[in-house]
């Protein structure tokens, strides 16, 4: 017989992630009881993944559990927040224990490594969708906002861009790749790594930050608008995997690189005078930050292509209600 709602919660979601002393009461009561540290600000974010919109129904459930949590942790990372607690709103068409076990495993493995505890949620029947809310802490008044970029700052990213967009093209059979490229782009699409390793750097040096979920141009555009500045991006400075290099050589199409979604790298700004120190700290942390452009007075985003021309925005990132 299939598990009921409460057995399902007990079996898969009652002991998930790192046990933490600041969780006074976790899954199982009307509310969780949590004790935030007195000297920190609470950072909170949620994201929903809908079957057929954010993932294919036949995706590996373990990678889905990982990705659902990863995209939320990426928001905490971009704010400079240390993860603490997470809740999970699951809507399931049916109880498939094998699917649930794999989903919970992917979720739990990342929760453990991010030192986060699942403290509650809701479980309902309906079309498959996964809503997650994460909470974390920043030093008091120390949240890294989108609004702090200043003219003269360097624009940086934390890793190669566009691979997840190529992974999607591959899945949709809009692109064919060699084995090495295929492995790179599918990994980028299904197993994104939230850049929590960048937290110390952001707290010390970032004047602004955003995580790249909707494409570089759209997301750098959010920094530009919030900070009331212009941003110039030098496209040949953007780090690219061998898969992306191959795709660009074959097609000359910059859309996946500049406007593809699902990168989950960080895009941040650092003042020029702090750059050497930031780079030294990054090296100590085993992180590479790539300068890809500059913040200037003005407004808007300009992308300079390797041939010196400006890139024309075909579609500047994914929007759900775009007409
Ligand atoms: P209520 O009826 O009071 O809303 P529920 O029956 O929805 O309570 O949930 C019972 C307990 O199980 C609560 O503590 C809730 O937070 C937790 N819970 C329900 N679904 C999930 C889930 N998918 N993951 C984690 N905890 C869950
Ligand atoms: Mg409920």
């Amino acid at each position: 017989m299939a598990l009921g709602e409460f057995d399902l919660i007990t079996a898969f979601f009652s002991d998930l992630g790192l046990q933490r002393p600041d969780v006074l009461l976790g899954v199982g009561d009307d509310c969780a009881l949590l004790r935030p540290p007195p000297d920190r600000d609470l950072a909170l974010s949620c994201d929903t993944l809908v079957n057929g919109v954010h993932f294919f129904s036949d995706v590996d459930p373990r990678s889905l559990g990982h990705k659902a949590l990863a995209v939320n942790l990426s928001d905490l990372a971009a704010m400079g927040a240390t993860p603490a607690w997470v809740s999970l709103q699951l809507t399931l068409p049916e109880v498939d224990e094998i699917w649930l076990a794999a989903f919970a495993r992917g979720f739990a493995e990342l929760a453990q490594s991010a030192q986060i505890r699942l403290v509650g949620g809701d479980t309902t029947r309906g079309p498959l969708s996964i809503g997650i809310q994460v909470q974390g802490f920043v030093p008091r008044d120390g949240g890294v906002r989108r609004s702090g970029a200043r003219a003269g700052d360097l624009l940086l990213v934390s890793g190669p861009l566009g691979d997840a967009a190529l992974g999607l093209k591959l899945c949709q059979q809009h692109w064919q790749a060699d084995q090495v490229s295929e492995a790179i782009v599918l990994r980028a699409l299904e197993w994104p790594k939230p850049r929590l390793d960048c937290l110390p750097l952001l707290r010390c040096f970032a004047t602004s930050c955003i995580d790249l979920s909707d494409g570089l141009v759209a997301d750098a555009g959010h920094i530009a608008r919030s900070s009331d500045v212009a941003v110039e991006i030098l496209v040949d400075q953007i780090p690219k995997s061998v898969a992306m290099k191959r795709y660009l050589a074959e097609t000359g199409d910059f859309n996946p690189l500049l406007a593809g979604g699902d990168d989950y790298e960080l895009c941040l700004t650092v003042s020029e005078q702090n750059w050497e120190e930031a780079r030294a700290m990054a090296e100590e942390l085993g992180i590479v930050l790539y300068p890809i452009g500059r913040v200037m007075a003005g407004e808007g985003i300009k992308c300079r292509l390797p041939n010196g021309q400006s890139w024309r925005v075909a579609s500047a990132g994914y929007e759900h209600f775009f007409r």
Side-chain angles (χ1 to χ4, degrees):
M1 209 185 75
L3 289 180
E5 179 188 334
F6 297 107
D7 298 331
L8 179 164
I9 295 165
T10 309
F12 298 111
F13 301 114
S14 63
D15 179 16
L16 197 156
L18 186 78
Q19 289 198 35
R20 299 173 54 106
D22 55 11
V23 179
L24 310 183
L25 186 62
V27 170
D29 212 311
D30 294 313
C31 294
L33 291 172
L34 309 168
R35 183 160 295 167
D39 55 342
R40 293 277 189 275
D41 292 338
L42 182 69
L44 184 153
S45 177
C46 47
D47 256 313
T48 303
L49 274 70
V50 177
N51 186 13
V53 178
H54 300 96
F55 58 91
F56 299 108
S57 20
D58 62 351
V59 70
D60 168 13
R62 189 169 151 223
S63 77
L64 185 61
H66 169 94
K67 184 166 175 175
L69 180 55
V71 304
N72 280 275
L73 292 174
S74 177
D75 283 317
L76 288 182
M79 214 69 203
T82 307
W85 310 314
V86 57
S87 63
L88 170 64
Q89 287 70 245
L90 256 188
T91 305
L92 302 167
E94 61 185 343
V95 176
D96 174 344
E97 286 177 46
I98 293 174
W99 190 96
L100 274 165
F103 175 86
R105 183 166 165 222
F107 191 105
E109 286 164 345
L110 181 56
Q112 271 292 343
S113 74
Q115 307 191 343
I116 196 166
R117 180 70 171 174
L118 181 63
V119 297
D122 202 22
T123 307
T124 51
R125 182 192 287 258
L128 179 61
S129 116
I130 301 145
I132 289 180
Q133 190 197 62
V134 282
Q135 302 183 15
F137 309 125
V138 293
R140 207 165 254 226
D141 294 315
V144 183
R145 305 171 189 222
R146 297 175 178 184
S147 54
R150 295 292 170 259
D153 287 356
L154 298 175
L155 185 77
L156 310 162
V157 291
S158 58
L161 304 186
D163 287 335
L166 293 185
L168 184 60
K169 274 188 184 294
L170 192 81
C171 291
Q172 293 173 327
Q173 302 182 340
H174 294 164
W175 184 51
Q176 285 188 335
D178 58 288
Q179 265 188 359
V180 172
S181 299
E182 199 169 294
I184 291 171
V185 301
L186 290 179
R187 189 156 183 90
L189 180 65
E190 293 183 353
W191 296 92
K193 186 175 157 228
R195 296 305 306 264
L196 294 163
D197 54 340
C198 295
L199 284 178
L201 260 168
L202 294 178
R203 286 185 183 166
C204 290
F205 298 112
T207 54
S208 74
C209 185
I210 190 169
D211 72 316
L212 295 174
S213 56
D214 295 333
L216 175 65
V217 168
D219 289 327
H222 291 309
I223 287 186
R225 255 187 310 284
S226 301
S227 302
D228 203 13
V229 293
V231 166
E232 185 182 51
I233 295 169
L234 301 173
V235 175
D236 59 356
Q237 305 288 309
I238 301 173
K240 304 166 190 81
S241 71
V242 294
M244 176 55 76
K245 285 180 185 160
R246 205 198 115 178
Y247 177 82
L248 286 173
E250 277 174 22
T251 66
D253 170 22
F254 288 94
N255 267 291
L257 181 69
L258 299 176
D262 267 2
D263 289 312
Y264 303 108
E265 293 293 343
L266 299 178
C267 177
L268 59 146
T269 55
V270 170
S271 77
E272 182 145 42
Q273 73 191 47
N274 282 338
W275 169 229
E276 274 314 314
E277 234 183 304
R279 179 153 57 182
M281 185 180 199
E283 201 171 309
E284 254 168 61
L285 293 168
I287 294 167
V288 184
L289 291 179
Y290 301 85
I292 62 160
R294 271 215 187 260
V295 179
M296 297 174 306
E299 60 178 40
I301 299 282
K302 185 179 254 175
C303 289
R304 200 180 292 276
L305 294 174
N307 65 9
Q309 292 183 339
S310 289
W311 182 70
R312 293 241 151 257
V313 182
S315 81
Y318 191 78
E319 279 196 43
H320 286 273
F321 299 105
F322 201 70
R323 300 155 309 274

